[in-house]
């Protein structure tokens, strides 16, 4: 395998299954001298915790982060930082009635095909629990980016077909969906309630904006900034599509409409989403991801059992109605991790003869 | 920089600018014994050549590939394969009137910000000419995939707002847009003519389907197959969005609608696009990319010159009206390169205790 | 930094300082289905534990390994394996009298120059304690290699100038120096006692032999098997030299003397040490490493303090007289890690057209 | 395979066989703005050319370098630099009488075992011809290092058992062996003549010293500076041993003898060879490599043919008596490539919170 490491200079390696003893991450390549304690990690882990929103599972995880190495007197030392979060509330027992059934839309069938092992206890590495490591690592990335004046925010711009028509970031923190449109948030609430009653689930769209990103990040031609961001975001469990700036809308525009005019005070529009030829332009980075509905639903579905016989499945366990808004902080994490790696890479590149 | 290499086991490194002496690629990690000659390369290079479609520039490049190493008696030897294509028809002179102007939607401004050098001669590495190396390398990837029963096809499913409503692959080869819908192709033709007269350009959507892909490819959690494909496709110059299977449409569906039922004879639908939890499921891979309109247009646009003063720009030179259909073969190339790398990686992974 | 990961397909990332909470490793890319429990790890950790030999410190570490992820029902699953060993007996207090002095032959001065941080508590990542992660990871590598018929042994062939003139591997396990020559071991014992009384330390030479290695491992031209082994071995704290087969002796031979004649039953000699042109030949791999004397000695030495003033230093703390024989298991670990990675890489390479 | 790339930020990928059309290299990640033309490359290629010394073959290669990309107006642009050197004087015909015999000490047998292909035309990638790409790439590395005040010199300190007892670098350039001891050079000359008459070949030791290297380079714990250098040097065809500073001699010293005392004006000795705990200390880097005798000799040797039958072989073709002094410039190249990569990496690391 060997696919659990991300980054070239700022590298993270995540580990841990949803039903094992713990999950965690090793960060390698962090600059020294950055203030970093378990409290920094906790703030971000708390944001991704279930229980905060009506879309989320009732599973309770204290998610207490422990930093095992790489810091001294509250600052990074330049050596690898190991962060561990124990799994306290994993109940494998709730899965016993579906242990012989493949779950539609779920990775249990492909994991078994790849590794030849059926781990029926839950999602394993395919569980959202795996993202604890990503978010923990990103808490340091955010700290570094903050010092460079870069900030990242992921807003829910669609849920269950309900679209946000505003970008009111103050409203965003006042509804449980992280939606920057209070009216849309109310409509989402009704939609979530209805779907939950049907034992079904919902998808949506998250828009991530990074401001303060300097021009010059991105390494053509295979590690362009947008390519790296797209790979990182598509690697989040529920994501099925990624677009930059105008994205799929750009496919319907003419060059004259889509090109962002350049003026002495900057770009007059931002259809490019902050990237030209794979290199950041100085304009805000704008990305949107399509988040599929949670595959584990209680509504009965057609499937097969492990001997290949047809069967019906009703997933019980504890599952969210939507990955949104818990996935939002993961989107922010992936963008932060890509940006901090490219910032460090650009420091080396920017040296000139 | 160091971003010009793609792949872990089957690795390619491309080089060359649009207005330099040559472009090329080094393929490292190809299995030995694969039949491979300049003729194999030529077939694919000819497909991406300008001149074949009404959307394309009049620039003529014989694009004759030369294999300089890594083969013996018509087969690969396991050592690096160097392929070079000379640039014969590069006229830097046609750019002299815009050498002091930044081109909207173009990478000249970001390349200068990154590298501190203004190379006014054309697109440099940001030019579509760079993709010659990718396509040449992919000609070997396709040859390997063919032996494994895998084939890849990229069809134009939208151009300038005209959408294909059929997937008639026989029709596809009978129109210059590689559109699998003869009626839509005719409508595209009218749209292209109109826009060309206005000195403007068009975007569209390309759908890439890979069939015969075995289950088990992809390396969770950061090098999932869909993440790798998304990164590879977003790294193509004109691409602004990537989706797998139902993609952005999945965001509007419920779990019950989006989940692909599993039956004894396989998945009953393919909203997942052939990937579950980042691992191929055995179903066809289905991807779509949003291709932005060509930024270089003759219609006058607002910009600034290199001293920061406002100016108007009308790009002359030789430019396509749309990156489609020339970009289609590049999409196929990127998918082929990712698949062959993951095939080789899976051979190592598939070994069991 | 980002230098704490080793391997391409079988990748390990180690973390942890000598005086932090714990040390550990994440193994990524291990094949699934390999029997692997904490007991497998413990056997190897016990071999590197201090206390076993007269050359070693009195520091006692139970070194109990905990596997936190990546196994299920006693076998690997293909997902990352996280192993942690808590530091129980770290006494930073014993270093307080030298916290303002640079230690000759020690990395405290270079770590401070690199990272801008003075961590006076002991060796940090430069401590032999860091090798716990390597040895823990290698316990799985050895398990995989065993199934392929490959075994690795590291013998002490010189210590404090006393050389082994035999290769009697039964004798090796009956003396505390892992010396394959009982007479030499007795002479080493006298040498160690004398030097210990002087408050000084000793170096030596370790010879590592890997048998059962199939022909064909190694990736020319920059990741040749001998290059990978040399890099891995030179990366062990105390190692100052590495040689393959005849090594430096080959520099004094003629081609006729040094070439290993080829016979129908194999190579008639093994001056090459099992590698030709960077690829394993099927003959045993033979490597020797020069191990420098432990730099921390109680004998007074000339140094400077952190303000640059001249000073004398007498290192107290708990230090070994020689890195040998504790380093031997680390040598075996590094060779095992390189071999298992190259075995997996060769599985991919060996596929032919 | 995929082992033909070296470096993380300053990356080179070499390609080409001794008997193919050309050899070359792609450099990715070079900073922009460095003066660099074919003339810079030529100076270094001329140093490695055969014909300069009595130890070398009569094969004549004009070795004219062509830079195909990555420069503009005589300076690097930050994009990949492709350098090609055509093979003009490759006579495969001279190998026909040994095409069915394995050559002792040569990689033809291991290449065949690895790749399943017998390329009887000569050394292929195992030939010294492959180092053209390394030296061409290093010509840019040297240019960058020079601007940082770093210089590298490789001196022949032993040949055929004759040792240099002085380090007189002025004398070094006045004898064909690059030996810093005029008397030893004369003795080497006699030794070479005698061995050549016997149809045999010689090995030796090359000492490489890099001065001006700043403290702080090297990435613990697997990419320490000495580990990276050892891997790079052991990856040169003829090298069988590598040591840093006192090297194998350190194994015979006590800690008190081996530790370099620290004084207000620097280290009082340099047994460490400029590296402590894998990080450069600011003292000169001192490395020595053991170079084995050329395996291709005219003296008859025992071997087998490709059907496994015993045979005698007398290699004719054009072969050097010793890899020294042609290998010296390759040693300098490998050290330069490692140093420039680590310099760039340290620029990123050196950023602090």
């Amino acid at each position: 395998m060997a696919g659990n490491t991300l980054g070239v200079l700022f590298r993270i390696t995540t580990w841990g299954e949803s039903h094992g003893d713990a999950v965690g991450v090793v960060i390698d390549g962090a600059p020294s001298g950055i203030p970093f304690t378990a409290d920094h990690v906790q703030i971000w882990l708390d944001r991704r915790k279930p229980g905060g929103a009506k879309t989320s599972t009732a599973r309770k995880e204290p998610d207490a982060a422990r930093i095992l190495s790489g810091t001294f007197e509250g600052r990074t030392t330049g050596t690898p930082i190991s962060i561990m979060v124990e799994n306290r509330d994993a109940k494998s027992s709730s899965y016993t009635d579906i242990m012989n059934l493949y779950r539609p839309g779920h990775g249990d069938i492909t994991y078994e095909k790849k590794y030849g092992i059926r781990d029926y206890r839950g999602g394993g590495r395919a569980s959202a629990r795996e993202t604890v490591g990503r978010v923990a690592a990103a808490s340091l990335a955010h700290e570094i980016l903050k010092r460079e004046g870069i900030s990242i925010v992921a807003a829910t711009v669609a849920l269950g077909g309900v679209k946000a028509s505003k970008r009111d970031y103050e409203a965003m923190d006042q509804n449980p969906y992280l939606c920057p449109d209070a009216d849309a948030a109310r409509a989402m609430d009704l939609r979530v309630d209805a779907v939950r009653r049907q034992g079904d689930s919902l998808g949506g769209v998250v828009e991530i904006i990074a401001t303060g990103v300097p021009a010059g990040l991105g390494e053509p031609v295979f590690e362009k900034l947008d390519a790296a961001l797209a790979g990182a975001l598509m690697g989040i469990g529920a994501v099925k599509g990624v677009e930059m700036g105008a994205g799929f809308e750009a496919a319907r525009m003419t060059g004259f409409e889509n090109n962002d005019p350049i003026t002495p005070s900057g770009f007059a529009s931002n259809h490019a989403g902050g990237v030209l030829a794979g290199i950041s332009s100085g304009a805000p980075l704008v990305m949107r991801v399509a988040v599929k509905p949670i595959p584990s639903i209680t509504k009965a579905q057609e499937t097969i059992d492990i001997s290949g016989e047809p069967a019906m499945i009703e997933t019980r366990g504890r599952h969210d109605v939507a990955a949104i808004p818990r996935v939002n902080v993961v989107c922010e994490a992936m963008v932060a991790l890509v940006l901090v790696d490219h910032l460090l890479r650009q420091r080396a590149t920017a040296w000139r003869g």
Side-chain angles (χ1 to χ4, degrees), chain A residues 1-5 13-17 111 114-115 125-126 130:
Chain A
M1 189 157 80
N4 295 286
T5 296
T13 302
T14 70
W15 55 269
E17 282 82 36
Y111 263 76
K114 184 171 188 70
Y115 300 112
R125 288 291 281 169
E130 174 270 327

Side-chain angles (χ1 to χ4, degrees), chain A residues 248-300:
Chain A
F248 277 87
E249 187 58 33
R252 287 179 282 270
M253 296 160 87
T254 69
F256 187 79
E257 291 161 353
N258 182 61
N259 284 343
D260 300 310
I262 313 177
T263 74
S265 56
F267 296 96
S269 56
N270 191 12
H271 294 126
V275 177
L276 284 170
I279 300 170
S280 61
S281 68
L285 296 180
V286 180
M287 299 142 269
R288 271 175 305 281
V289 297
V291 179
K292 75 171 186 179
I294 297 277
S296 297
I297 55 176
T298 50
K299 208 164 171 175

